[in-house]
Amino acid sequence: ENNPILQELLSQVRRERFSEEMDSLSENQLEICKASFDHTFLVNAGPGSGKTHVLIMRCAHLLHMRKIDPAAILVLAFNRAVVYEIRDRIRKLFRALGYGSYANRLDVSTFHSFALRHQQATDIYQEDAIGQAVHTFKENMESDEEFARTIGSRYKAVLVDEFQDMNEDFHGVVKVLLKHCGGAMVIGDDDQDILTWNRRKWAKKYRRECPLEAVHYFSDFRKSLDLDVYELTLNYRSVP
């Protein structure tokens, strides 16, 4: 393991394989993946535009080129199926790049799982704890600056998938995290909005106003953070 010749060979293999993967990306995809780790930006990605692949290659770039500790990279998604897919694809890509041992060190989680990790044990087993977890977590993050800083400062980079699935709780968590982490990428499709019912349910449960359309969260994110917006519009599924 400490043999300098073997280490140099491994580094060369990693460079070559990483270059091959990056060369397969489009110009727009490449620009997103290569953005500085402390840059916060929004990616509006249409259907079939390689959204998940871009997210995974962004992780690979942060690790390989920016030398970021994989434990300082947080990927948040909305359901377990997406988390399993992202983890599986990261494992396969990282093995191909010679970073297989790093794959499990990335923090890839659902919002609910991430929130439950930061709840008191007595709260976790209360009735409807999982459904309530993100709401409680968001309120704790917003009301306790030190708590929020302790969590957010662990991460050099935060990546949020399926941004169109936002509601007030998810959105609140993301905005507080971004105050304290290094940088962030949020990616989604503002035309692919199927969770209006979830926002209506949230408004009824907490008796508060809640935007019903996902486009509101894209617009608010752009305006409140004055950030760059990248567009991925080419549908590779329809390309012959």
Side-chain angles (χ1 to χ4, degrees):
E1 185 175 328
N2 294 320
N3 187 314
I5 297 176
L6 291 178
Q7 286 297 311
E8 177 54 35
L9 285 172
L10 178 58
S11 296
Q12 183 177 341
V13 168
R14 284 173 172 170
R15 286 193 297 270
E16 290 174 355
R17 290 178 178 172
F18 181 76
S19 294
E20 289 172 2
E21 290 290 341
M22 294 295 276
D23 287 345
S24 70
L25 299 174
S26 71
E27 186 175 336
N28 282 0
Q29 291 173 333
L30 191 62
E31 185 179 9
I32 292 165
C33 291
K34 292 174 70 175
S36 176
F37 81 90
D38 57 358
H39 188 42
T40 294
F41 57 94
L42 169 67
V43 181
N44 197 4
S49 61
K51 173 177 65 64
T52 303
H53 185 59
V54 168
L55 184 147
I56 292 167
M57 286 301 299
R58 171 73 173 158
C59 291
H61 176 80
L62 293 170
L63 173 67
H64 179 78
M65 296 300 295
R66 304 293 179 175
K67 308 301 181 187
I68 292 178
D69 183 342
I73 300 172
L74 172 65
V75 181
L76 289 172
F78 289 86
N79 65 69
R80 285 179 291 178
V82 173
V83 165
Y84 292 151
E85 179 189 0
I86 291 173
R87 285 177 179 165
D88 183 57
R89 291 176 65 171
I90 283 176
R91 275 194 295 268
K92 290 176 180 175
L93 174 64
F94 278 30
R95 278 200 298 266
L97 295 176
Y99 287 106
S101 62
Y102 290 71
N104 290 333
R105 293 178 55 201
L106 264 79
D107 194 345
V108 184
S109 178
T110 65
F111 275 89
H112 291 89
S113 176
F114 187 70
L116 284 170
R117 271 193 259 156
H118 301 96
Q119 302 283 323
Q120 294 293 327
T122 52
D123 295 336
I124 294 175
Y125 299 103
Q126 290 178 356
E127 185 177 357
D128 196 32
I130 294 179
Q132 185 73 16
V134 179
H135 182 72
T136 302
F137 181 54
K138 181 205 74 165
E139 293 197 326
N140 290 342
M141 293 271 280
E142 290 177 340
S143 62
D144 188 337
E145 183 78 9
E146 187 57 35
F147 176 69
R149 183 183 297 107
T150 299
I151 296 170
S153 62
R154 295 173 188 165
Y155 301 104
K156 292 286 185 67
V158 174
L159 297 88
V160 180
D161 193 22
E162 306 288 4
F163 193 68
Q164 73 274 3
D165 291 347
M166 284 280 131
N167 67 18
E168 290 295 273
D169 288 336
F170 301 133
H171 193 230
V173 168
V174 171
K175 290 182 77 171
V176 176
L177 276 175
L178 298 196
K179 291 180 181 178
H180 304 288
C181 69
M185 177 184 86
V186 301
I187 188 167
D189 181 358
D190 61 2
D191 285 331
Q192 189 181 340
D193 184 7
I194 60 173
L195 290 183
T196 300
W197 63 270
N198 179 272
R199 299 179 197 109
R200 189 174 284 114
K201 179 182 176 182
W202 187 97
K204 183 177 180 181
K205 180 176 181 177
Y206 296 110
R207 298 180 181 180
R208 299 181 194 173
E209 290 187 2
C210 176
L212 296 182
E213 306 299 329
V215 68
H216 165 86
Y217 294 105
F218 284 80
S219 176
D220 179 74
F221 205 69
R222 289 188 186 102
K223 292 176 183 175
S224 64
L225 296 175
D226 190 28
L227 42 70
D228 291 332
V229 179
Y230 297 89
E231 301 282 345
L232 291 177
T233 55
L234 180 61
N235 187 341
Y236 289 93
R237 296 174 195 152
S238 64
V239 174

